[in-house]
Amino acid sequence: LARVIYSESKRPEEQELVAWVVRNRVETTYRGKGPYRDVALDPYQFSAFNPNSRTHRHYSNLDAPSKARGWEKSLALAYYVRHAPPLLRPFSPTTRHFFSEGATPR
């Protein structure tokens, strides 16, 4: 979950929304995927993890001790969203996509 958060946006105001979208996909088994890993690696859903992506290796290799700028915040946010009570969900559980007007296509 932290890898998806970190790869999809560096904007703190967007990162939590990305995390909830992923949790919604897990909880609703969107596209037949259940565990977080399967949701994150579902082909062509999160661009950083597409097999032909230039960033696939970088984001896939991030782990807890990584020192990338903003990574610790993504880890903390992932923990928070995974364990948050559902009533803190900022939108419906059927919200399973996020789009940022300011995103740069990869």
Side-chain angles (χ1 to χ4, degrees):
L1 178 56
R3 290 176 181 136
V4 173
I5 293 167
Y6 189 73
S7 70
E8 288 293 308
S9 180
K10 302 299 185 274
R11 296 175 175 168
E13 67 275 11
E14 294 180 350
Q15 288 182 321
E16 183 174 346
L17 301 176
V18 169
W20 281 104
V21 161
V22 175
R23 179 171 164 176
N24 284 353
R25 287 180 177 210
V26 169
E27 291 179 356
T28 62
T29 59
Y30 180 70
R31 293 173 46 98
K33 308 299 181 191
Y36 282 88
R37 176 181 171 78
D38 291 350
V39 167
L41 297 178
D42 190 10
Y44 305 101
Q45 297 302 297
F46 299 101
S47 59
F49 301 103
N50 290 340
N52 59 347
S53 169
R54 293 179 295 126
T55 59
H56 179 82
R57 186 174 188 174
H58 170 71
Y59 288 116
S60 295
N61 287 326
L62 290 171
D63 57 11
S66 293
K67 299 295 181 200
R69 185 176 185 191
W71 173 241
E72 284 185 28
K73 179 166 174 42
S74 295
L75 283 171
L77 188 56
Y79 182 86
Y80 163 74
V81 169
R82 275 191 80 167
H83 300 286
L87 64 96
L88 295 179
R89 188 185 321 265
F91 37 63
S92 161
T94 58
T95 301
R96 296 178 296 236
H97 293 85
F98 175 78
F99 175 76
S100 172
E101 288 287 334
T104 305
R106 295 181 204 148

